[in-house]
Amino acid sequence: MPRGSENGGTEWMNNLPARYVHGRRGFDRRLMEELAAVGVPCYTLTDLANGPRTIPQGIPIFLDWLINLETKIPGPETEHRSAIRSGLIRNLIDPAARGNQHAIDLLITQARHQPPLPQRQQDWACQGLALIAKPEHFPQITALLDELPSATARYPLIEYLGKVKTDQARQLAIRELDGPAHLAAINALAKMKAEGVRHLIEPFTTHPSSQTRKAATRALEKLPG
């Protein structure tokens, strides 16, 4: 939190540290002022990375900036605009955005962005979707899942399947047991308490990865016999 903002003061915005220059390295005075106006004092979105787990009053601003980012900061995808994009995506990994159709559509758009965004941004977009998408968003999430080649981006979307207690979600999770994101599939099947999959999970209790072995053991404790 910027010094001097604790009691709602705004003088901190007129005494910027020298490293903050408008239009460089993720600092945009317009964005700073918009967030400050709703009680979210920060110089850059990166400042919020280790802040509150949820910032509900910031969600409309994050959405507006993300959908209009190329208009607000025109031209090629510079390091500056990419830094702001990262912050906007990451700040939508927020329980306050759960079920927000606008946020879900935007994160899917970022995951499908052409040219493809850096891997970390794709991963954050999918992490956000896994958190804020509800079971009724299953068709959108699974359509995206089939398009993503990256295991790290697919991982949270596979875990999302655990929210959807349908046979279709069960079959999709089973399919993923043979892939690089098998750990996510194990977790999803455990979360949905899938019927008839114990025999598919049991072999993972002797997997070379201790993380996988632990997940399989925990899953077997939750799965019906």
Side-chain angles (χ1 to χ4, degrees):
M1 180 180 293
R3 183 177 297 176
S5 65
E6 295 85 351
N7 298 316
T10 59
E11 64 278 1
W12 57 274
M13 288 191 286
N14 296 318
N15 296 287
L16 298 176
R19 66 182 180 278
Y20 293 118
V21 179
H22 178 74
R24 296 184 187 177
R25 299 181 180 178
F27 175 71
D28 190 294
R29 188 173 187 92
R30 298 167 299 173
L31 182 54
M32 176 188 70
E33 290 175 348
E34 286 184 36
L35 287 168
V38 297
V40 185
C42 63
Y43 292 119
T44 70
L45 294 168
T46 301
D47 297 340
L48 302 176
N50 298 315
R53 184 169 178 264
T54 182
I55 310 174
Q57 67 272 42
I59 298 298
I61 294 172
F62 302 144
L63 293 176
D64 176 64
W65 269 76
L66 190 54
I67 196 170
N68 296 300
L69 188 57
E70 283 79 6
T71 301
K72 289 178 180 291
I73 307 175
E77 186 80 349
T78 60
E79 179 183 355
H80 168 65
R81 192 169 76 186
S82 183
I84 290 182
R85 188 188 300 276
S86 289
L88 294 169
I89 294 172
R90 190 163 51 182
N91 279 291
L92 288 174
I93 309 174
D94 187 327
R98 187 171 283 124
N100 186 315
Q101 189 64 57
H102 192 185
I104 291 164
D105 291 343
L106 274 175
L107 290 177
I108 289 175
T109 297
Q110 297 304 302
R112 287 175 168 155
H113 193 281
Q114 293 297 326
L117 298 177
Q119 188 63 58
R120 68 183 184 281
Q121 293 177 350
Q122 294 182 38
D123 293 348
W124 287 328
C126 291
Q127 288 171 31
L129 288 167
L131 176 66
I132 71 176
K134 292 185 174 183
E136 55 263 37
H137 298 108
F138 177 76
Q140 283 185 280
I141 300 301
T142 53
L144 177 62
L145 180 61
D146 286 338
E147 297 173 18
L148 295 173
S150 165
T152 57
R154 288 168 56 80
Y155 191 106
L157 298 187
I158 294 168
E159 285 207 330
Y160 158 85
L161 297 175
K163 295 183 185 180
V164 188
K165 305 181 190 306
T166 65
D167 187 61
Q168 188 178 4
R170 173 181 172 275
Q171 291 300 325
L172 285 175
I174 289 173
R175 180 190 71 180
E176 298 293 340
L177 287 173
D178 292 329
H182 58 265
L183 182 58
I186 293 171
N187 291 337
L189 290 166
K191 187 172 182 178
M192 70 174 72
K193 296 183 179 180
E195 297 275 356
V197 299
R198 292 184 65 87
H199 68 289
L200 300 175
I201 302 300
E202 285 168 350
F204 288 100
T205 59
T206 58
H207 193 274
S209 165
S210 62
Q211 189 176 13
T212 298
R213 293 196 302 270
K214 290 177 182 176
T217 300
R218 289 195 300 267
L220 290 172
E221 293 171 355
K222 297 179 181 178
L223 292 170

